[in-house]
Amino acid sequence: MGPGGACWRGGGVPRGLKRWLSSSAPAPRVCVVGSGPAGFYTAQHILKHHGGARVDIFEKLPVPFGLVRFGVAPDHPEVKSYGAEDNRVLGIPGENLSGVYSARAFVGWYNGLPENRDLKPDLSCETALILGHGNVALDIARILLSPLHLLRKTDITDGSLAALACSKVKRVWLVGRRGPLQVAFTIKELREMINLPGARPVLNPADFTGLENAIKDAPRPRKRLTELMIKTALEKPGVKPMEAQAAAPREWGLKFQRSPQEVLPTADGRRARGIRLALTRLEGWGDSAKAIPTGDVEEVECGLVLSSIGYRILPLDPAVPFDTQRGVIPNSSGRVEGVPGLYCSGWVKRGPTGVIITTMNDSFDTAHSVLEDLQGGVLDMSTSREGFGAVESILRSRGVRPVSFSDWEKIDAAEVARGKAAGKPREKIVDPQEMLQLIGH
């Protein structure tokens, strides 16, 4: 199902659910499609609470772990979090120009996702603009502006590091349709961005007028986040030592209430030179506020445009129901509607939101449904299932050699060894053919 979710058949013991210890109970074979956190957490929960269960996990790539390996940022190994098969399109003129990329492709490029290894983004411009006010947008801004000595200590790919070493980008704007009270990033990521060495934040105090009163009764996380933005916006340039200002040759800033209207081309019509933004006003309050165009526009010069407006789940198979409007598999607590024995978790279950802890809890919820259905006799256990043995026979008959977990361990060892030689945690292999050659396929 891709790194953003898992689909399959089928902390602490769930309420009202006994632990399966009886040797006479049937041994269910569970197939999990997708080896990201959604798949692994569900498998873990089922195995923990059903002593006889057997779980086979299938992954389309030669390496496991989905977004944990290919996720948000190499300098955040503890919170890597994003996934999905596709990205949302902007739907505006010029989005196919050279210099315009989706966040998913750009993140995949610096994290070594094989399909994005040849992206070769042009970083020769001084100003980059990111559409989106989420953690992924902040991650990309941080990678673009981080000092190289910090990135060299991470598992960022060697090719990406070389490209960033030649980057001319020194200014990054993060643009959102709505206002400061609707940003989707979290305070930890914002604070890290504010404290990034060599880069200074540029926030307009006028964007925060009157917000102190507006957030008095807001939930604590939203209140603290907004207070940090206000504090940063009101800080006078002279407050910081002159040495610190001189040591900050790069800058980044937040632009609010602006909606992308058109990516503007260079004279030859081939590359992005800027973007036209429609100014908006907000109708409504809080998370439900909607951005309505005012009729005014603004043009921002930028040679690099990155779209971080969310991700899109693709349908799995015609036999699996899919809600195209919501971009999810219709389900109830992970049970796929109309298909007994089929379950889903992760972003295919709830949509592309949340981080790894969200996915963990979501996966436990789905696993709970599987265990309930096993215990209640809902699933047909009368027929013996061979599991991977049967699948392996089919693959062998077709001349396909799957990559086993022990094969992955060889790839893992090679990457760690290459990384050690370069003073990094690992040097990812980005070419699947090279991975297969390494394990003798």
Side-chain angles (χ1 to χ4, degrees), residues 146-360:
S146 282
L148 284 176
H149 73 272
L150 296 181
L151 293 178
R152 284 195 184 100
K153 299 173 185 175
T154 74
D155 69 355
I156 191 170
T157 61
D158 193 48
S160 305
L161 190 63
L164 289 165
C166 300
S167 171
K168 298 289 193 294
V169 176
K170 64 180 184 181
R171 183 182 303 104
V172 177
W173 294 112
L174 295 100
V175 177
R177 298 172 188 264
R178 300 192 293 172
L181 296 180
Q182 288 80 34
V183 296
F185 49 71
T186 49
I187 192 168
K188 178 182 180 293
E189 278 68 25
L190 177 63
R191 187 179 291 117
E192 185 175 4
M193 195 70 206
I194 290 169
N195 295 326
L196 185 67
R200 63 186 185 91
V202 181
L203 276 67
N204 185 353
D207 288 333
F208 302 91
T209 303
L211 290 192
E212 292 95 336
N213 292 327
I215 58 171
K216 280 182 179 176
D217 299 320
R220 189 167 181 269
R222 174 66 66 186
K223 185 177 181 182
R224 290 177 62 233
L225 176 62
T226 308
E227 286 172 344
L228 178 57
M229 285 190 284
I230 293 171
K231 176 178 178 289
T232 306
L234 295 179
E235 270 186 357
K236 299 292 187 291
V239 170
K240 292 184 179 179
M242 289 301 292
E243 310 88 65
Q245 290 182 56
R250 299 176 172 187
E251 62 182 22
W252 64 275
L254 301 173
K255 287 180 178 288
F256 300 102
Q257 293 181 227
R258 285 161 170 80
S259 178
Q261 201 175 57
E262 180 184 358
V263 180
L264 305 171
T266 50
D268 61 9
R270 297 173 61 184
R271 288 194 41 79
R273 66 166 176 85
I275 189 166
R276 181 180 294 119
L277 303 168
L279 274 58
T280 66
R281 58 182 173 81
L282 296 186
E283 282 190 0
W285 182 252
D287 292 339
S288 62
K290 288 189 166 43
I292 311 296
T294 64
D296 294 327
V297 297
E298 173 186 85
E299 291 188 3
V300 179
E301 185 182 333
C302 54
L304 177 64
V305 178
L306 295 146
S307 169
S308 181
I309 59 170
Y311 301 95
R312 193 166 66 104
I313 313 298
L314 296 180
L316 173 64
D317 184 271
V320 180
F322 189 75
D323 184 333
T324 52
Q325 192 167 4
R326 294 173 54 222
V328 297
I329 294 175
N331 70 92
S332 175
S333 295
R335 296 177 179 92
V336 176
E337 292 179 6
V339 191
L342 185 65
Y343 303 82
C344 61
S345 184
W347 285 11
V348 295
K349 174 184 175 184
R350 69 179 188 274
T353 59
V355 291
I356 285 186
I357 188 70
T358 324
T359 296
M360 182 183 75

